Structure formats: C-alpha cells, structure tokens
Amino acid sequence: MAERRALPPPVPPASPDPAASSGAVSTAFGSPLDPVAARPHQPRDTYIVHVQKDQIYRIPPPENAYLAERYRAEGGGGGGKGGACSPCALRTLGAVLAAALLLGAAAALSAVVLRPDAPSFVVDNLSVHTNASRHHHVAYDFFLTAINPNKVTALWYGGRGTARLAHKGNALAKGGVGEPEDGGEDATGFNVLLHGTQRDGRTPRAVEKALRGSKGAVTLDLAVEFAVQVHAGALGFERRTLAVSCHITAAGLRKDVHISSQTCKSRFRN
C-alpha cells in the first residue's frame, strides 16, 4: 500500500517592495518629482534690464499747446473750423429771423391799413316833406350814423356822395350826401337828402297811399356811395369808394316816419 505524504502549504507570492520599485524607476529613468536631484544643474546666461517709469522719450511741439487751448476755448467738438463758423451761423440766423419779422409786420400793416373793415351804418331818422302846391314833389331826409370798427385806422369822408331811393325796384328819389356834421375824420353823422322823381308821371300805389297818411307798411331801399380815405396816424392812403345799402320798412311816409325795421350793409368797392 502506497504511503501518503503531506504536501507543504502553498507559499503566497511576495508583494512587491515599493521602495525597491521606486529605486528601480529612479535608477532607470530618474525621479519625476526631483528633477534637480536627478539632473545636474547647467549654468545659463542672465541679463538685467533697468526701465525708468518717468522717462520722457519725446517733447511735444509748442503748437500743440496752442491747438489744445483753442479747442477748449471753442467748446470742443466739430474741429476748429466748425467752432469758428458758429458766430457766423448765429448772425445769419438772427438776420433771417429779423427779415421774417419785418415781412410779417409789413403783411400785418398791409392787411390793417390797405384792407380795413367797412364801417357799419344805421338809419336814425327819416322825415318826408311834401310840397303843398306840388303834391308830387317829395323830399326824403335821412340821417345816418356810421361806426368805424377799425382800431388802428381812421376813415376820412370827403366830397359829396350820391344817394338813390327805390321801392321794389321803382325809383322814388335821388340826391346827395351832405358834409359830415362832426368833421371828416372818423365822422359818425351824415345827412342824406333826396328829392322825389316820378317814373312815367306816376308814383307806386303803396308809396302814394303812405304819403297820404296811410299807416300801412311800406318798404324802401336806400343806396349811398361816397369817397373815403384811410388814415394811419399822419399817413394817408388812396381814396376808396364806400357803398352802403339799407333795406327799410316804414309805417307811413308822413313828416316823422316810424321805422319798423332796417338792415344796412356796407362794403368798399375798390
């Protein structure tokens, strides 16, 4: 019978020695953590450069100071040439504004003086006078009041004007305008005297009845024209023709006529 022998226990492999491994690496390739110890020091050339911080390399020319001072005096921006032209631009702008103001003043003066508003008129009184011996000879005496709406200009009435009176298109009388009672400058009161005229020897029936004393309403159309001169202070301008038309409704045509209603319009013809 074969004899059995006990085998010896297995021996574990020896762990590598870190020191030995490091020594091996350092011996073969040198240690990466200690290059100075592994590699011998090699001397190098060294250069030292001194730089002065306050060293001035270039002195600017004197004209630069003059240019800088001029730039500050002109407010900067836009260059010296643009700054030098700014006073010229201001003077030009002032001249343009002055010219515009003068033109505006001339236009306003022209509108006020050369084209004033026409005065308004009111018929204050009407008297009718009949000749006893000549029944058909009738005189119509109107008194008109003028109101000048212009505050700057005055209206001078000069010379004798003309007047016409009609009834529904039929001529009744014609005459003239007397001298203003309160002078020619901005006159307010005018006397207009018209003398009756007959058409084909006949007087309109409504007018004939009113002349005989009827109190029935009768319509009359008064047209007056006279010359007016516009004045602004001591300056007088060309004469203009003023046309006035009044539509009147009267109750009878006796001596003192009662005016029931009236509408007067006026305008400059030129």
Side-chain angles (χ1 to χ4, degrees):
M1 182 173 179
E3 186 180 358
R4 293 184 181 181
R5 297 181 178 178
L7 295 177
V11 179
S15 61
D17 188 0
S21 298
S22 299
V25 173
S26 300
T27 305
F29 302 102
S31 175
L33 302 177
D34 191 7
V36 177
R39 297 177 184 179
H41 175 73
Q42 296 180 1
R44 297 181 181 179
D45 296 334
T46 303
Y47 302 92
I48 300 175
V49 179
H50 295 277
V51 179
Q52 299 180 5
K53 296 182 179 180
D54 58 348
Q55 183 175 0
I56 299 175
Y57 294 94
R58 182 175 177 271
I59 299 176
E63 55 267 20
N64 285 11
Y66 168 75
L67 293 176
E69 186 65 25
R70 182 178 177 183
Y71 182 83
R72 285 195 298 268
E74 292 170 354
K81 185 176 180 180
C85 287
S86 57
C88 300
L90 291 177
R91 286 193 293 268
T92 303
L93 180 60
V96 171
L97 291 177
L101 289 176
L102 289 176
L103 290 177
L109 181 64
S110 175
V112 172
V113 175
L114 300 182
R115 295 187 177 277
D117 295 331
S120 58
F121 285 82
V122 177
V123 179
D124 285 334
N125 188 30
L126 169 59
S127 298
V128 178
H129 306 279
T130 304
N131 193 325
S133 58
R134 300 170 57 187
H135 180 70
H136 294 290
H137 183 268
V138 183
Y140 301 87
D141 190 4
F142 289 86
F143 188 82
L144 306 180
T145 298
I147 302 173
N148 181 13
N150 304 287
K151 304 300 182 182
V152 179
T153 58
L155 302 178
W156 289 29
Y157 300 87
R160 296 179 62 85
T162 60
R164 300 183 306 276
L165 185 66
H167 167 72
K168 295 183 178 180
N170 298 318
L172 295 179
K174 62 181 180 179
V177 181
E179 294 293 334
E181 292 189 354
D182 46 3
E185 180 178 0
D186 262 352
T188 57
F190 299 88
N191 183 260
V192 181
L193 181 61
L194 303 94
H195 298 280
T197 57
Q198 295 181 352
R199 183 179 181 181
D200 300 331
R202 293 178 298 178
T203 303
R205 184 174 181 180
V207 176
E208 186 72 25
K209 292 174 62 176
L211 290 173
R212 292 179 179 178
S214 173
K215 296 296 183 179
V218 57
T219 58
L220 301 173
D221 294 304
L222 176 66
V224 182
E225 290 185 359
F226 36 54
V228 177
Q229 187 178 27
V230 180
H231 277 248
L235 298 178
F237 299 87
E238 63 178 350
R239 291 180 177 272
R240 307 182 65 179
T241 301
L242 180 64
V244 182
S245 60
C246 296
H247 182 76
I248 305 166
T249 301
L253 293 176
R254 301 298 294 174
K255 183 176 180 180
D256 296 321
V257 179
H258 173 70
I259 299 175
S260 303
S261 63
Q262 60 174 299
T263 302
C264 293
K265 298 180 181 181
S266 59
R267 63 182 180 90
F268 288 106
R269 295 184 57 183
N270 57 349

